[in-house]
């Protein structure tokens, strides 16, 4: 009797060797426009019309109006006046960011310690500015900080000053108005971070012999750094584009780049130069976002990773 040896047969495509040699289910490649993907099309079209198209127009005009080339950018970087405006923008935005952080950090920390009822009251107090128009709030500061305003009258009544002090048309007025507007943007990210921190870590540090102040700064404060970074980034980037508040509360020496853009559009009619200013402001914002994203994982803070 002759014996034959059968050769191994390779598994067919889409099958996996195993018990019974049952074929594995074929993997289906995801389709971008299958079902839910179609819902994205209206949003993409909307962004292309109201966001991308204007950006492309502004970018093109900055190089073509009034003549093709880099004339608008040379005018900006070659003039000390315009560079001073850019410096004012960064200086004022940095001061606003610092002041809002110094005011918002203890406020957010107090919200984590307060009972639920008072925590709600503190939260409502932070959100109230969102319910009032920015223009109305700025005009209110004009009335309060004026020579006959509430602040000067109060300082004179308690004897701190003998005559009204100029609190508007200068950097002081700009800082007061912008800090009041941007304070909620500093408090909310800080509170969102602090409420997720386990306070038992501080108690454990104190139980191991650390003083309360040392336990706070060495254990609790480092855990708030993502919130601090997000808060500073949000406030600073929002501040460099301010127009209404610096225009009403500041003076000529406190002009920011947003006010300069409006001036070039409405008074001088230099559309190409104003477009170049907008492009510079956009590039500065994008550079800041890129820099901070490399230093701090903002996506983790916002809930993208766990």
């Amino acid at each position: 009797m002759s014996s034959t040896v059968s050769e191994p047969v390779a598994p067919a495509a889409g099958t996996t060797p195993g018990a019974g040699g049952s074929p594995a289910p074929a993997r289906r490649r995801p389709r971008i426009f299958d079902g839910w993907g179609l819902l994205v099309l209206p949003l993409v079209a909307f962004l292309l019309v109201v966001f991308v198209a204007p950006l492309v127009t502004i970018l093109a005009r900055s190089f073509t109006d009034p003549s093709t080339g880099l004339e608008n950018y040379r005018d900006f970087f070659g003039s000390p006046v315009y560079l001073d405006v850019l410096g004012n923008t960064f200086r004022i935005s940095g001061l606003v960011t610092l002041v809002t952080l110094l005011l918002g950090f203890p406020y957010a920390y107090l919200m984590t310690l307060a009972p639920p009822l008072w925590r709600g009251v503190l939260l409502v107090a932070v959100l109230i500015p969102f319910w009032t128009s920015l223009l109305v709030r700025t005009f209110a500061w004009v009335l309060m900080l004026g020579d006959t305003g509430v602040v000067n009258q109060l300082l004179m009544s308690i004897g701190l000053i003998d005559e009204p002090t100029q609190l508007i048309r200068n950097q002081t007025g700009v800082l007061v108005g912008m800090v009041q507007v941007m304070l909620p943007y500093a408090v909310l990210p800080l509170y969102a971070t602090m409420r997720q921190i386990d306070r038992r870590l501080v108690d454990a540090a104190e139980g191991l012999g650390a003083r309360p102040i040392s336990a706070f700064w060495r254990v609790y404060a480092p855990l708030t750094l993502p919130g601090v970074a997000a808060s500073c980034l949000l406030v600073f980037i929002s501040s460099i584009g301010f127009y209404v508040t610096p225009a009403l509360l500041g003076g000529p020496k406190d002009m920011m780049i947003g006010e300069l853009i409006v001036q070039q559009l409405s008074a001088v009619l230099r559309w190409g130069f104003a477009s170049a200013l907008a492009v510079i402001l956009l590039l500065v914002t994008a550079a800041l976002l890129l820099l901070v994203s490399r230093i701090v994982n903002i996506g983790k803070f916002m809930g993208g990773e766990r």
Side-chain angles (χ1 to χ4, degrees), residues 20-60:
S22 58
R27 294 183 179 179
R28 183 180 177 221
R29 294 182 180 179
R31 297 179 181 178
I32 298 177
F33 296 101
D34 187 11
W36 60 267
L38 296 175
L39 300 176
V40 183
L41 292 179
L43 177 61
V44 173
F46 178 79
L47 291 177
L48 288 175
V49 173
V50 304
F51 184 72
V52 178
L55 283 181
V56 173
T57 303
I58 290 174
L59 181 62

Side-chain angles (χ1 to χ4, degrees), residues 71-80 82-83 86 273 276 280:
E71 178 182 353
N72 293 318
Y73 295 93
R74 283 196 297 264
D75 290 345
F76 178 80
F77 291 105
S79 174
Y82 298 139
L83 293 178
L86 184 62
F273 185 69
I280 292 172

Side-chain angles (χ1 to χ4, degrees), residues 16 30 65 79 88 249 253 270 274-275 277 298 305:
T16 56
D65 188 2
S79 174
N88 286 339
L249 297 177
K253 295 182 180 180
R270 295 180 64 185
S275 299
L277 295 176
I298 300 298
E305 299 178 5

Side-chain angles (χ1 to χ4, degrees), residues 159-176:
L160 290 180
I161 57 176
D162 297 328
E163 57 184 14
T165 302
Q166 187 175 3
L167 298 176
I168 58 174
R169 306 302 177 191
N170 53 26
Q171 185 172 292
T172 302
V174 176
L175 288 178
V176 171

